Amino acid sequence: MGLYNLPESLHTFRSFDDFEIFINRSEPGWHMPLEWHEPVEIFYVLSGRGKCYIGEKEYRFKPGHLFVIGSHELHRSELIDDEPFEALVLLFHPRLAQSWQLEDEFDPLSIFYERPEEFSHQLKPGLALSAKLKTGFDLLLEEYGRKEGFSLRVVGSLLQWLLVELNRAYANNKRYSGLESWKGIRFKEVTHQAMEYINAHYHENIHLKSIAEQLRVNPSYLSREFKKNTGYTVVEFISYKRISHAKELLLHTDSQVTEIAFQVGYNNVTHFHWTFKKFIGVSPNKYRKLPKHYYILK
């Protein structure tokens, strides 16, 4: 699926500025839809195991494994045998890695877009590189957590160093050897249309029957194909879109929780609280007070 037909409904981190780093802890029963975003991503596994799907490729991961995910690259993670995992996620705007240009013809972002067909997103660092990565990630987490705000100069400098180390490692990385179970990302037209309709109208009173009427298809057919194609029911996907937007509003605005509930399509605040806690693991108020570098995925 190319750059120009990516479903807008799977576009995440819309309120992104320049840099974010956080730790995601999944819980049993968690699953995520595919997503894509403008910033590039480094995904580093801290504990547990799972699967990662990036574009047409499937990977299995365990602690210490690292992935580089480019801008506009569809991807998702998945539990294995319902075992939770914890991962550090680093997102940054490419311009941060291009703040200082030297005449050495080295592009620190090349691992995100200069890739042969057999390129493997997955890196399995040795002990020496793992120690360096831990130091770099710890420093970035510390800088990101400063009460007075982080310095883009410090973050940019640390990213420059980190990307040099990763480019050296990926230059000698093993080629991708595909797993047979993943056939790539193929959305049926009816699923694509339904996702885009939900993306545009999730804040309204929509449901399976009203969406099927808009698309002029049978509700049972839409329900079956949507679940088969995305792993989500239509109702679950509507809730996912609402809660995802609510998370951004909680993190990036001072709006009251009640106001946010109405903004994302909930007429009943109690239902909003229940659904938010079901998806995120904590109430909206508690989520807003959590350290900004730590998220639970439920």
Side-chain angles (χ1 to χ4, degrees), residues 178-226:
L179 301 174
E180 295 301 322
S181 60
W182 178 238
K183 302 302 181 184
I185 299 158
R186 296 288 184 271
F187 291 118
K188 280 195 171 183
E189 184 63 24
V190 67
T191 302
H192 190 283
Q193 290 178 356
M195 288 194 299
E196 298 301 82
Y197 184 83
I198 292 168
N199 185 64
H201 300 278
Y202 66 86
H203 56 285
E204 301 171 11
N205 182 27
I206 59 171
H207 44 77
L208 173 63
K209 186 177 179 181
S210 64
I211 297 169
E213 287 175 354
Q214 286 293 325
L215 302 183
R216 299 181 180 178
V217 297
N218 182 280
S220 297
Y221 170 75
L222 174 60
S223 176
R224 182 176 64 252
E225 293 304 317
F226 196 94

Side-chain angles (χ1 to χ4, degrees), residues 2 140 157 160:
L140 285 165
S157 298
Q160 287 268 328

Side-chain angles (χ1 to χ4, degrees), residues 69-81:
I69 302 169
S71 179
H72 298 89
E73 208 163 21
L74 272 172
H75 59 280
R76 69 179 175 91
S77 302
E78 182 181 285
L79 303 181
I80 295 177
D81 297 331

Side-chain angles (χ1 to χ4, degrees), residues 1 32-35 51-60 74-78 121 176-187 228-231:
M1 182 165 291
M32 70 174 285
L34 289 156
E35 68 174 25
K51 291 182 182 180
C52 187
Y53 301 90
I54 307 175
E56 304 280 320
K57 298 176 180 178
E58 175 190 357
Y59 306 89
R60 294 175 183 265
L74 272 172
H75 59 280
R76 69 179 175 91
S77 302
E78 182 181 285
H121 300 79
Y176 175 76
S177 57
L179 301 174
E180 295 301 322
S181 60
W182 178 238
K183 302 302 181 184
I185 299 158
R186 296 288 184 271
F187 291 118
K228 186 192 303 183
N229 217 190
T230 68

Side-chain angles (χ1 to χ4, degrees), residues 156-170:
S157 298
L158 288 169
L159 281 176
Q160 287 268 328
W161 169 79
L162 180 64
L163 290 172
V164 169
E165 292 292 342
L166 289 179
N167 270 273
R168 289 171 176 171
Y170 271 94

